[in-house]
Each structure stands twice: as structure tokens, then as C-alpha cells.
Amino acid sequence: MTFDDARDDFSRLHRLFTFHLGVGVGLSWMTTLYAACYAPWVRNIRALIDPAAGLDRVESTWSFLFVLPAILTIAWVSLFFGRELLRRSQTLSSAALEFAAAALVAFGVFTLSIDRAVAALYAGL
């Protein structure tokens, strides 16, 4: 049985999505940890990144960098262990539409995670 062979469409899509989300989680954590080595560890990093609007919300470096990779990790673990629960709770007409919607959300969170890490990295340079 190869990587793409599966009993049904849901199993194949679940396996592919789980693999690709895991790659995204790994890249998100690597970028965040690299940025954490060079970012300034301050109470309000938003003031360093955008001085004009940085006083609106106070956010520490820890929460600015590590919240989104943690959310991606929780989503990946729940996706991995909740396969049968997801199979039974299908809400859209096809599994492909559900995985496409989930991929859009995951890609958005991944992009925000990388954007925050790069912004913190530039604040430290």
C-alpha cells in the first residue's frame, strides 16, 4: 500500500492533510524558534514593530511568537487522533470541500505565524 492508496476518499484526504499540516507545523515552529533567538524579549513588542500603533495593545514577545504555532500544534494533534470523530461529524456535502476549507484556515494561521516571526526577527535586527 503506497501513501496515496486508501480505502475511501476520506482516509486519503485525511492522510494527505495530516501530513501537510504536520509539515506546516514544523516549519512554523522552526521559524518561530529562530526568530526567538534574535527577537528582543520585552513586555510590549508591538511598540517596537509598529511604533505608531504599538500602544493600542500590549503583547509580550512570548505570546506574540508562540501562540499561533501552539494553535497549529493543537489542531494537528487533534486532527491526528480525532480521525473517526471527524469522519462521523461531516457537515458539508463532500469530504473534499471540508478538507479544502480546513486547508484555507490552516494556511491562514500558518501565514500569520510566519509573518509574526519575521516581524519579530526584523525588530531584533
Side-chain angles (χ1 to χ4, degrees), residues 2-114:
T2 64
F3 186 73
D4 290 332
D5 291 341
R7 295 178 308 218
D8 60 348
D9 194 37
F10 180 85
S11 296
R12 183 181 58 83
L13 290 171
H14 182 268
R15 184 178 298 141
L16 286 172
F17 185 66
T18 303
F19 172 75
H20 286 94
L21 183 60
V23 170
V25 168
L27 289 173
S28 176
W29 276 108
M30 286 191 310
T31 308
T32 297
L33 291 174
Y34 182 77
C37 292
Y38 295 101
W41 287 88
V42 294
R43 183 177 174 273
N44 187 8
I45 194 168
R46 287 194 178 271
L48 294 175
I49 293 172
D50 187 13
L55 300 176
D56 294 341
R57 292 187 333 197
V58 175
E59 191 169 6
S60 69
T61 304
W62 187 88
S63 66
F64 187 79
L65 284 176
F66 293 107
V67 167
L68 291 176
I71 290 172
L72 281 173
T73 304
I74 291 168
W76 182 49
V77 169
S78 64
L79 176 72
F80 183 77
F81 290 111
R83 176 180 169 179
E84 293 305 316
L85 179 68
L86 289 173
R87 182 188 300 270
R88 286 188 293 245
S89 65
Q90 185 173 354
T91 57
L92 296 178
S93 60
S94 74
L97 287 174
E98 286 192 354
F99 280 106
L104 283 174
V105 172
F107 186 72
V109 175
F110 170 76
T111 305
L112 286 174
S113 171
I114 299 297

